[in-house]
Amino acid sequence: MLKNWINIFIYHLKNNKLFSALNVLGLAIGIAGLIFALLYWNDEQSYDAWNPEKEKVYQVLVKLTDMPIMAEHPARLKPHLEKDTNVETIVFADDWYQNDKIIYNGKKTLVDKIINTERDFFSLFPFKMIQGNAISALKDNTSIAISENLSKRVFGNENPIGKQIKCFDTMFTVRAVYRIPGNSSIAPDVVVNTLKNIMDSEKQYGLFSLKILLKLKDPSKVESTRKMLEKAYYDEGIVKTAKEAGFTPEEMTKKLGHFTVFMEPLSQARLHSSIDGYPEGRGNYQFLIIMAGLSILILFLSIVNYINLATANAIKRAKEVGVRKISGASKGNIIRQFVFETILISSFSILLSLVIVELVLPYYNAFLGKNLKIIGTQFYLELIVIFILTILAAGIFPAIYVSNFETLKVLKGNFGRSKSGVWLRNGMLVFQFAIATFFIIGSHIVYQQVNYLINKDLGFRGDQVIAINLNFPNSDYEVENPGLNIYNKYTTIKQELAKIKGVENSSTALMSFDGSDNSVGPVLYKDVLFKERTVAIDYDFLQMMKIKVIKGRGLEKKYASDTISSVLINETAQKLMSMKDALGQEISIRKRKLKIIGIVKDFNLLSPEAEVPPMCFYHPKTVGIAQNIGKVYVKLKSDNVENTIADIEKLWSSVDTEYPFKYDFVDKQYARTYEEYVKQKNLFSLLNVVVILIALFGLFALASYSIQRRMKEIAIRKTLGADTTVLLKELSKQYILYCIIGFLIALFPVYYLLNKWLENFAFRIDIAVFPFVFGFIILLVLTLIIVLSRAYQATKTDILKYLKYE
């Protein structure tokens, strides 16, 4: 029996090569799309899955009224946490991922994943210890733990335990070598424990300075710990500050705001975090859901396409089924035969989809910035589930449909005139039109929004401007006046840059255009406290970046006061503080009274998702933070850019002997803030092409079968003198109707979902009528091209072929 089924399958495969190929290809594309989504989904869901403590470990986050949520806290919260009986382990940490060099036997190895934390870090992140153990790994401030990969880079095949290495100008003893078992929210190459001095010297740190990770005994009681921390913040941040400033706690609360604490479990950190709290960042959950949803939709479309083709093709096999029934085949036997054929088609499709995935995977990894591989028990189980669901969805209905053919009717040859199953195929065709409409309109709106971001006036010009990191030796910060020392060194570098032929200008600013610079500080105006982004900038920085001063003036060397008491504010800050005439007004920053000398036109500093923040600008010397200068911006002339950069690199070999020369163009740096949305645009455009192709496959096949069924009717009409144009209208009008119905069905979903997507942006387009008109015209044109081409071929067929037996 099985051999017979295979022979029948091969026979129909040979006689229907085109439609069989369309079936296999359509399903393969749908399955490949879902495989890509699954690989991405599995990778994102795997973060911290290996960690047995993930449900007990919490990161503490805090929000002060209208300030952004932060992951930094004061060290003086520790006594409060130690009194909480539900807190099992407390781990404070300095900024995630610092960078420095590891020196061993004179060999320098640059490392950019170093964390400075407390000794119990490995009880929260129990990495697999290859050498040494977790207990002694960070037992004192001279201990260091390194990753297995770094151990191989630094020590080769040597045993690193007990070896002395230098990092942060300090000698450490290697106590442990670890391996990270899987994707982790924290994946350092080096872990050190030198927080003791920082924790003991609170004056060196402000209110927001250190990360806090907690391991709770009972996660169900996390709310009590959260409330305790809010009370601690009130005591430390409001009551103590009010006492120092001479206010009551109530008055200080009105000025400063209210502290809200969030306890975020490690298990939700990757995809559901409020901020990029962990150093490995957070995944884009919306993008993940969009990708998964669209992939499922495409597979469903492929299955619908298969069912459509299978039920349409059943007309040709009606007599075969009738003969088999006369020969004694049962209804169940026929169902099993057609399900078996679906299994074969699905098997071919899955094999082809795996080939497609393997070929495209390098580009997909580059697109996502990942290293996904087609391996893992979980993936293979998911593939089996896809296989089974595809067979159930695509095979059962056509098999039941075919098995229900009436034997006498099909043997008399009347089945071809029956309308059985036509309503279902037409309904599915309408559904295909609706999905195609959704993708055509959706991709156009996404394209418009991303194009709007790319071409929007950002308020600054970052082209031809490069940002270079300044890495001064630690000794430069240990002198009596580090601020003046660092500023003088920066000034020397600036003078040397001016000597390079292709350099137009250079300056510095304590900010970045990569979208991460969202910290705010207190600004006092008429005894009212405002939270604004305060930025130290050097002379000429605003002019170099083409940032306009719309009223007053910028910082200038000829005014000595500009490094003592001058400040500029942007338009948003002026509105926030309700200043009608801001020039000459006084504000206080870091307990310094500063006079406003200019109003800066708003410009985008953060990503397009955020509004322009209120900002204040002053010289680095003004509030004594020149020691924080860590970046120099260089404006290049448009000619011989490569030669100019090469000359700057030569200069940098004497400026920074420890680190390689690295630079980044500011416009490209800012473009990365909306890179995720560019990816979504590209994904939508690609899937749009795929969906249209699959829909056209189905339309082509269905129109072919439909017109084939009406060939006798066409022959009779031609015999009676019907014009070709009339025949074309008659054959295509039903498909135009299905196109219109599908378009109308898609209108609300596409409008609603794209509006939700646009809510991500502070700067966005309004959905206009044009994308809908454009989408309908494209869909209609493609439909007419397919249907009319098939219909025209039908009208040119020899009519005697269909009338000679009448």
Side-chain angles (χ1 to χ4, degrees), residues 198-484:
I198 297 173
M199 300 289 287
D200 291 343
S201 306
E202 295 179 30
K203 292 182 181 179
Q204 296 178 12
Y205 278 75
L207 192 60
F208 305 110
S209 54
L210 297 170
K211 318 282 185 178
I212 300 179
L213 292 172
L214 303 177
K215 182 179 175 181
L216 302 185
K217 296 175 182 176
D218 185 358
S220 65
K221 297 178 181 178
V222 65
E223 182 62 17
S224 64
T225 302
R226 190 193 68 80
K227 288 181 178 178
M228 178 276 295
L229 282 169
E230 283 190 353
K231 175 67 167 58
Y233 258 109
Y234 178 77
D235 292 339
E236 299 291 342
I238 300 293
V239 176
K240 284 188 178 180
T241 307
K243 188 176 180 181
E244 292 170 0
F247 295 108
T248 66
E250 291 74 19
E251 290 173 329
M252 183 55 66
T253 300
K254 288 181 180 179
K255 292 178 179 294
L256 198 60
H258 173 71
F259 289 98
T260 304
V261 172
F262 304 90
M263 299 288 288
E264 192 171 81
L266 179 61
S267 57
Q268 297 180 17
R270 178 65 182 181
L271 292 175
H272 304 286
S273 179
S274 307
I275 61 169
D276 290 334
Y278 287 95
E280 293 296 321
R282 54 177 167 164
N284 189 330
Y285 186 67
Q286 183 193 62
F287 184 45
L288 186 63
I289 291 298
I290 288 173
M291 191 165 182
L294 295 183
S295 298
I296 291 171
L297 194 62
I298 288 175
L299 179 59
F300 188 60
L301 183 63
S302 301
I303 290 172
V304 166
N305 209 37
Y306 178 88
I307 293 172
N308 246 341
L309 293 174
T311 53
N313 191 40
I315 297 168
K316 286 188 172 183
R317 301 186 64 176
K319 286 188 178 181
E320 173 199 330
V321 174
V323 170
R324 289 180 63 81
K325 281 190 171 184
I326 290 293
S327 301
S330 66
K331 184 177 178 180
N333 186 268
I334 292 171
I335 290 175
R336 285 191 291 274
Q337 177 194 346
F338 279 86
V339 169
F340 174 73
E341 291 183 7
T342 304
I343 290 174
L344 292 178
I345 291 288
S346 299
S347 300
F348 295 151
S349 299
I350 282 187
L351 290 173
L352 180 58
S353 69
L354 289 173
V355 171
I356 293 171
V357 170
E358 190 65 36
L359 292 173
V360 179
L361 195 56
Y363 305 100
Y364 185 62
N365 279 328
F367 174 72
L368 292 176
K370 289 183 173 290
N371 186 29
L372 305 177
K373 296 178 182 177
I374 309 178
I375 54 173
T377 305
Q378 180 183 4
F379 170 73
Y380 292 124
L381 289 174
E382 289 167 343
L383 198 61
I384 292 170
V385 171
I386 292 172
F387 181 65
I388 293 170
L389 291 177
T390 301
I391 291 168
L392 291 175
I396 298 298
F397 176 79
I400 293 174
Y401 173 67
V402 171
S403 68
N404 283 324
F405 287 169
E406 295 178 33
T407 307
L408 292 177
K409 183 182 285 189
V410 298
L411 291 178
K412 287 180 180 179
N414 294 325
F415 185 80
R417 298 182 180 89
S418 170
K419 293 185 178 181
S420 177
V422 171
W423 64 270
L424 180 66
R425 290 195 297 276
N426 291 341
M428 289 182 176
L429 185 61
V430 168
F431 178 73
Q432 287 180 316
F433 278 129
I435 294 177
T437 299
F438 176 86
F439 274 90
I440 293 171
I441 297 174
S443 63
H444 189 77
I445 292 173
V446 171
Y447 171 81
Q448 282 186 320
Q449 173 62 25
V450 175
N451 200 48
Y452 168 74
L453 296 177
I454 293 172
N455 296 306
K456 178 183 178 294
D457 181 11
L458 301 173
F460 71 89
R461 293 286 300 275
D463 56 313
Q464 303 298 123
V465 178
I466 59 174
I468 310 172
N469 288 332
L470 291 170
N471 299 296
F472 295 114
N474 291 340
S475 57
D476 284 341
Y477 299 91
E478 296 169 358
V479 296
E480 186 175 340
N481 190 342
L484 181 61

Side-chain angles (χ1 to χ4, degrees), residues 344 545 613 789:
L344 292 178
M545 298 300 299
S789 65

Side-chain angles (χ1 to χ4, degrees), residues 572-590:
T572 301
Q574 183 180 8
K575 291 175 186 175
L576 178 68
M577 294 185 284
S578 302
M579 293 181 175
K580 290 184 179 179
D581 186 10
L583 295 183
Q585 299 274 6
E586 277 193 348
I587 60 176
S588 293
I589 299 175
R590 295 183 178 234

Side-chain angles (χ1 to χ4, degrees), residues 28 121 171 198 219 227 239 242 247 274 301 385 390 394 517 553 604 647 659 662 668 677 693 729:
F121 172 80
M171 294 303 297
I198 297 173
K227 288 181 178 178
V239 176
F247 295 108
S274 307
L301 183 63
V385 171
T390 301
D517 207 352
R553 64 175 178 84
N604 286 71
D647 290 339
Y659 294 90
K662 288 184 179 180
K668 292 180 179 178
Y677 298 106
L693 284 175
K729 287 180 181 178

Side-chain angles (χ1 to χ4, degrees), residues 80-309:
H80 298 272
L81 288 166
E82 289 173 335
K83 293 176 184 177
D84 191 326
T85 57
N86 193 39
V87 176
E88 181 178 332
T89 308
I90 306 165
V91 173
F92 277 75
D94 205 352
D95 286 341
W96 300 129
Y97 289 176
Q98 301 171 48
N99 63 291
D100 199 56
K101 55 191 176 297
I102 297 287
I103 302 176
Y104 174 67
N105 284 346
K107 178 187 173 185
K108 297 176 183 177
T109 305
L110 296 178
V111 184
D112 55 8
K113 286 188 175 185
I114 306 173
I115 63 171
N116 184 11
T117 182
E118 293 188 289
R119 64 180 298 167
D120 291 327
F121 172 80
F122 289 114
S123 69
L124 275 60
F125 286 83
F127 300 149
K128 184 177 180 180
M129 290 295 164
I130 306 301
Q131 292 171 292
N133 60 76
I135 296 173
S136 62
L138 302 172
K139 67 178 184 180
D140 53 39
N141 61 3
T142 64
S143 300
I144 190 169
I146 62 176
S147 69
E148 185 180 25
N149 290 335
L150 183 62
S151 176
K152 290 177 181 177
R153 285 171 56 196
V154 176
F155 298 100
N157 295 324
E158 289 184 62
N159 182 359
I161 301 300
K163 294 286 195 309
Q164 298 283 312
I165 60 176
K166 193 174 184 180
C167 183
F168 296 128
D169 289 334
T170 304
M171 294 303 297
F172 291 95
T173 302
V174 179
R175 303 287 185 191
V177 177
Y178 58 83
R179 178 189 301 153
I180 302 174
N183 286 334
S184 177
S185 292
I186 302 180
D189 285 320
V190 174
V191 186
V192 295
N193 172 20
T194 61
L195 282 184
K196 191 174 185 298
N197 293 334
I198 297 173
M199 300 289 287
D200 291 343
S201 306
E202 295 179 30
K203 292 182 181 179
Q204 296 178 12
Y205 278 75
L207 192 60
F208 305 110
S209 54
L210 297 170
K211 318 282 185 178
I212 300 179
L213 292 172
L214 303 177
K215 182 179 175 181
L216 302 185
K217 296 175 182 176
D218 185 358
S220 65
K221 297 178 181 178
V222 65
E223 182 62 17
S224 64
T225 302
R226 190 193 68 80
K227 288 181 178 178
M228 178 276 295
L229 282 169
E230 283 190 353
K231 175 67 167 58
Y233 258 109
Y234 178 77
D235 292 339
E236 299 291 342
I238 300 293
V239 176
K240 284 188 178 180
T241 307
K243 188 176 180 181
E244 292 170 0
F247 295 108
T248 66
E250 291 74 19
E251 290 173 329
M252 183 55 66
T253 300
K254 288 181 180 179
K255 292 178 179 294
L256 198 60
H258 173 71
F259 289 98
T260 304
V261 172
F262 304 90
M263 299 288 288
E264 192 171 81
L266 179 61
S267 57
Q268 297 180 17
R270 178 65 182 181
L271 292 175
H272 304 286
S273 179
S274 307
I275 61 169
D276 290 334
Y278 287 95
E280 293 296 321
R282 54 177 167 164
N284 189 330
Y285 186 67
Q286 183 193 62
F287 184 45
L288 186 63
I289 291 298
I290 288 173
M291 191 165 182
L294 295 183
S295 298
I296 291 171
L297 194 62
I298 288 175
L299 179 59
F300 188 60
L301 183 63
S302 301
I303 290 172
V304 166
N305 209 37
Y306 178 88
I307 293 172
N308 246 341
L309 293 174

